[in-house]
Amino acid sequence: MVSIDELKKISSQVRRDIIRMVSGAKSGHPGGSMSSTDFLTALYFGGVMKHDPATWTRSGKGQDVFILSAGHLSPVYYSLLARAGYFPVAELATFRKFGTRLQGHPSTETNLPGVFQPSGSLGQGLSVAAGTALGKKLDKDENLVYVLMGDGESEEGQIWEAAMFCSHQKIDNLIAITDWNMQQIDGNVDNIAGLGNLEGKWKSFGWEVLTCNGHDFNEILTAFAEAKGLAGKGKPIMILMHSDMGHGVDFMAGTNEWHGKAPSPELAEKALAQIEETLGDY
C-alpha cells in the first residue's frame, strides 16, 4: 500500500500514458479511461486488491481477480498493469499497433499478463465476474472478484440479468464498480436511455450499494474498505463512482466528445502540459 500522495503521482502518470498512447495510435478511448484512473489506481496500488505480477496466472487462484467489462477503457488498464510490473512500461508505445499485445480491447490471445478475460462487447463483464466469483466460492478460495462497468454500458440488458443472478446466488465475494461519469458515445447518459435512480435500481436488485467521489482518494479508499467489509455477508456489492469523463484535462472534461477520439499531436501536447510527469514517460 502506498500513500495518498503516491497514489496521486501514479494517477498523474497514468493519465499521461493514456494521452500519449491514444494520440500515438491515432485511435482509442481517452475520456472514460481518464474518468476511471483514480479509483483504478487505488485498486491496484492502494492496498485494496490482492495481486502479484510475479505469481499471476489467468486461473486467478490465490489472488483477487479484476475483470474490465468496459473493454474500450484499455488505455488505463494497460498503463496500470505496466506500472504495476506485469509487463515492461516501454511496451505501452505499441498500443494499437500491428502485432501488439496491447490491442484496442483486451485480448487473452496475446497472453498479456494481468488480463483475465477478453472484453469489448459491452454488458458481458458482470456475467464473467459472477461466474468467476462463484467458482472461487465453490473452490473455497476466499479471495475477491472486482469488475468495472460503465454507466452507458449499464443500459445493456445482460447487466441486469447478471445482477439478478448474483443476488439470487448470494455471490458476496463480488465487488462491482460503475464509472458514473454520465457520458456515453452519443451524449449524456440521461438523454440516451436514462438510468434514473441508479443507486435505487441496484438496491432493488438485492445488492449492497455504496457511492463516492471517484476522484477523491480518501473517499475511494474508504469505499473500498467498506465494500470489503461487506463481503461474505450474503449480498454482492456495487460501488457507484461519481466521476468526470476526461478528468485532468480542461478541454476533455465533462463531455462525451473525447469518449472515443484521439487528440491531435498539438492537442496532446496541450493536454500533457496540464498533467504532471511523475514517474517518467515511456
Side-chain angles (χ1 to χ4, degrees), residues 184-256:
Q184 61 188 96
I185 192 168
D186 291 324
N188 185 281
V189 171
D190 282 345
N191 295 334
I192 307 303
L195 295 174
N197 183 352
L198 191 56
E199 182 177 359
K201 277 187 171 67
W202 283 103
K203 287 181 177 178
S204 73
F205 274 73
W207 286 57
E208 295 283 4
V209 183
L210 307 172
T211 64
C212 84
N213 179 345
H215 301 304
D216 183 312
F217 281 108
N218 285 298
E219 286 196 31
I220 292 167
L221 293 173
T222 297
F224 276 132
E226 187 174 349
K228 291 173 72 173
L230 291 168
K233 296 184 178 179
K235 291 185 177 183
I237 303 112
M238 167 60 72
I239 307 176
L240 300 174
M241 295 282 188
H242 289 284
S243 64
D244 185 28
M245 181 168 272
H247 187 80
V249 175
D250 57 9
F251 63 87
M252 289 183 168
T255 174
N256 71 308

Side-chain angles (χ1 to χ4, degrees), residues 34-80:
M34 294 172 71
S35 65
S36 57
T37 293
D38 294 325
F39 54 81
L40 289 183
T41 296
L43 184 68
Y44 271 90
F45 290 91
V48 175
M49 189 169 66
K50 180 182 176 182
H51 70 107
D52 180 2
T55 59
W56 181 87
T57 63
R58 196 182 166 204
S59 72
K61 290 185 178 180
Q63 296 190 31
D64 292 341
V65 168
F66 172 72
I67 303 293
L68 178 65
S69 184
H72 58 284
L73 305 186
S74 61
V76 65
Y77 191 27
Y78 295 151
S79 173
L80 286 164

Side-chain angles (χ1 to χ4, degrees), residues 73-111:
L73 305 186
S74 61
V76 65
Y77 191 27
Y78 295 151
S79 173
L80 286 164
L81 289 176
R83 297 289 174 180
Y86 283 87
F87 57 87
V89 171
E91 194 170 346
L92 296 177
T94 71
F95 176 65
R96 284 182 173 245
K97 302 294 176 62
F98 184 76
T100 184
R101 297 196 295 178
L102 310 187
Q103 298 181 13
H105 294 80
S107 169
T108 52
E109 281 187 5
T110 61
N111 297 314

